[in-house]
Amino acid sequence: MRATIIGAGVAGPVLGLFLRRLGVDVTIYEARTPERLALAGAFLAVAPNGMNVLEAAGVKARVMAAGDACHGFEFVNASGRTIARVDDRDDAQRYGSPLLVVRRTRLQRVLVDAALEAGVEVRHGAALVDVEPYDREVRATFESGEAVTSDFLVGCDGIRSQTRALVLPESPAPASLEQLDYGGFARLAEAPVEVGCNLMVFGRRAFFGAFRAADGELLWFHNGPKREDSLSERERLLEAHADDPPWINEVISRTPELLGPWPLHDIASIPRWSMGRIAVIGDAAHAVSPTSGQGASLAMEDAMMLARCLEATGDPERAFERLAQRRRARVEEVVRQSRRIGSTKVARTAFGAWLRDRMLPLVLPLGTAAQRRLYSYRVEVADPRAGG
Ligand SMILES: Cc1cc2nc3c(=O)[nH]c(=O)nc-3n(C[C@H](O)[C@H](O)[C@H](O)COP(=O)(O)OP(=O)(O)OC[C@H]3O[C@@H](n4cnc5c(N)ncnc54)[C@H](O)[C@@H]3O)c2cc1C
């Protein structure tokens, strides 16, 4: 079989790796050039469930070497007082893998290199513009005018998926969460962030997260409401954290290059994930806000599950249908949960902040239990011949 994959972000190369194991000839078409991909994004947390998929794909060790394991979370209020902690030092034992913090470009490089080594062809600077069923095949056309046919096509082309727009036009547009995300890398030894700890600050007007890598570098993000003003990006961030612990603005000031802004969106549900031999997975099917730290891991799980379903059925159309049946409930629950939590990150009133500071230690065990369910997930097709 020959497969066309659109997009070399997260889902695309992981799917390529699993399909090669089934002997499928795979070509990935990626709109961006390698130079533009090397500039994409800040960093990601890959959760234990995603790391376990990478292990099954044979790339976990390489991805681990590209990032830093996280051993816990500390939640701090706008006065700098610790309001809760989560100890994740046992994650590797409990779930099989730790949560890994990794620069997006490094993750992407490792995944694409591994796919190339496995025999996947990767074509950069190739933007999909059209796709249509063509007899028992699929024909894809690219911006250059080139057209290719294959036995099936999978759109791993992210939240603004062209594949989804062309093939599943009834899908709702991504919903705006009315928040902006920024990120950056800085060196500031004085910032009170331990190596391997994710420090989360509920600021007065915006949320701030920082992780310290083993080499001392701080990887940070800001998450705050969208605002109309005439400030520069840096001024806007400094103003948003003016009343928070002062080290935050030190970090922002010492960041050579601000990354972003990324307006945040999600996609709660689309009616179908496929049409015949064309399907979408990852953010193209169910984009989740970064609050969950699960988008990349869910995209990896989709890729592995799709390969399992294809192995079981030998038929792309049936495999796509099974995939949606097996994945929909899980991914849609994460999108809902993430939206709920995201809306509480910035308190609207001082009383709201006061209440959150007191409630967080009480509700955290519930959140930890939900997270355990997410982290413990295994991509399995219990009886590959049954159902669907
Ligand atoms: C600010 C921010 C922070 C985040 N933090 C986290 C985190 O910590 N942990 C986590 O798990 N998730 C996080 N996410 C979500 C995560 O980035 C996504 O869920 C994940 O990247 C989805 O992978 P994907 O392969 O489906 O799509 P993407 O990674 O978006 O890849 C899509 C690829 O398709 C290409 N493409 C698009 N259109 C075309 C076309 N027409 N033709 C060819 N190629 C095309 C794009 O160039 C891109 O390379 C974050 C998201 C944002 C915005």
Side-chain angles (χ1 to χ4, degrees):
M1 270 200 263
R2 292 158 306 146
T4 297
I5 294 176
I6 307 300
V10 176
V14 176
L15 179 62
L17 283 169
F18 282 114
L19 291 181
R20 285 299 301 140
R21 297 227 177 136
L22 302 181
V24 178
D25 282 340
V26 184
T27 308
I28 301 180
Y29 294 85
E30 165 57 51
R32 287 183 280 184
T33 59
E35 297 73 40
R36 280 201 50 221
L37 274 175
L39 299 172
F43 64 97
L44 281 175
V46 183
N49 47 307
M51 292 303 295
N52 289 338
V53 172
L54 295 179
E55 179 161 34
V59 286
K60 176 173 151 181
R62 287 165 76 169
V63 174
M64 289 284 291
D68 287 88
C70 162
H71 62 62
F73 285 76
E74 182 178 349
F75 297 91
V76 166
N77 69 8
S79 318
R81 189 169 62 80
T82 299
I83 47 178
R85 280 180 202 271
V86 178
D87 186 343
D88 287 329
R89 266 172 295 206
D90 291 339
D91 276 7
Q93 258 174 308
R94 188 177 286 138
Y95 307 111
S97 299
L99 182 148
L100 192 86
V101 176
V102 57
R103 285 181 184 233
R104 189 181 283 267
T105 49
R106 286 191 193 155
L107 174 68
Q108 216 261 336
R109 191 66 260 160
V110 170
L111 296 180
V112 170
D113 283 351
L116 286 166
E117 285 161 28
V120 173
E121 194 183 337
V122 182
R123 302 270 305 272
H124 287 100
L128 179 84
V129 290
D130 197 16
V131 58
E132 52 184 345
Y134 178 71
D135 197 11
R136 297 262 308 151
E137 297 185 323
V138 174
R139 186 211 296 265
T141 309
F142 297 90
E143 215 169 37
S144 62
E146 182 189 1
V148 297
T149 55
S150 55
D151 296 295
F152 63 97
L153 180 144
V154 184
C156 301
D157 44 354
I159 189 163
R160 304 273 162 209
S161 170
Q162 175 76 350
T163 313
R164 186 184 66 232
L166 290 165
V167 176
L168 307 166
E170 72 280 16
S171 306
S176 169
L177 301 175
E178 301 301 326
Q179 289 177 356
L180 290 181
D181 223 83
Y182 291 81
F185 306 106
R187 293 204 170 265
L188 187 74
E190 311 86 90
V193 188
E194 289 166 33
V195 170
C197 177
N198 256 317
L199 186 67
M200 302 287 171
V201 185
F202 291 97
R204 286 198 214 286
R205 290 190 289 283
F207 192 85
F208 190 85
F211 176 85
R212 195 183 291 281
D215 68 0
E217 184 157 50
L218 285 172
L219 290 71
W220 64 265
F221 70 90
H222 152 106
N223 184 210
K226 267 187 180 171
R227 279 182 33 180
E228 296 296 325
D229 55 42
S230 56
L231 300 175
S232 70
E233 308 288 8
R234 201 178 293 265
E235 285 167 346
R236 182 174 306 138
L237 293 191
L238 292 172
E239 199 271 333
H241 293 289
D243 298 328
D244 297 338
W247 63 267
I248 294 180
N249 275 354
E250 271 298 299
V251 171
I252 294 169
S253 303
R254 296 256 205 115
T255 298
E257 188 193 357
L258 286 182
L259 303 171
W262 296 284
L264 299 186
H265 292 82
D266 68 11
I267 299 177
S269 181
I270 60 174
R272 293 179 300 148
W273 289 24
S274 65
M275 198 265 303
R277 290 173 166 248
I278 305 166
V280 289
I281 66 169
D283 271 16
H286 48 72
V288 53
S289 93
T291 300
S292 67
Q294 278 287 334
S297 296
L298 294 178
M300 294 170 189
E301 289 178 359
D302 284 354
M304 183 170 171
M305 181 66 94
L306 173 52
R308 290 276 187 275
C309 292
L310 189 64
E311 185 180 18
T313 61
D315 172 65
E317 281 198 53
R318 284 178 45 218
F320 292 160
E321 282 160 19
R322 277 195 186 187
L323 171 77
Q325 286 165 8
R326 286 184 160 79
R327 298 284 301 153
R328 189 183 278 282
R330 174 172 170 86
V331 299
E332 293 185 357
E333 171 58 24
V334 180
V335 178
R336 279 195 297 272
Q337 214 180 71
S338 183
R339 205 183 262 193
R340 240 183 351 253
I341 298 170
S343 67
T344 63
K345 273 163 108 178
V346 181
R348 298 221 168 107
T349 61
F351 175 70
W354 178 87
L355 196 62
R356 182 199 51 221
D357 288 3
R358 269 137 200 91
M359 291 303 288
L360 192 71
L362 306 178
V363 298
L364 212 57
L366 292 176
T368 309
Q371 197 163 60
R372 284 211 171 135
R373 282 196 297 280
L374 277 175
Y375 287 1
S376 309
Y377 177 85
R378 296 281 169 178
V379 177
E380 275 161 8
V381 181
D383 177 0
R385 309 283 150 198

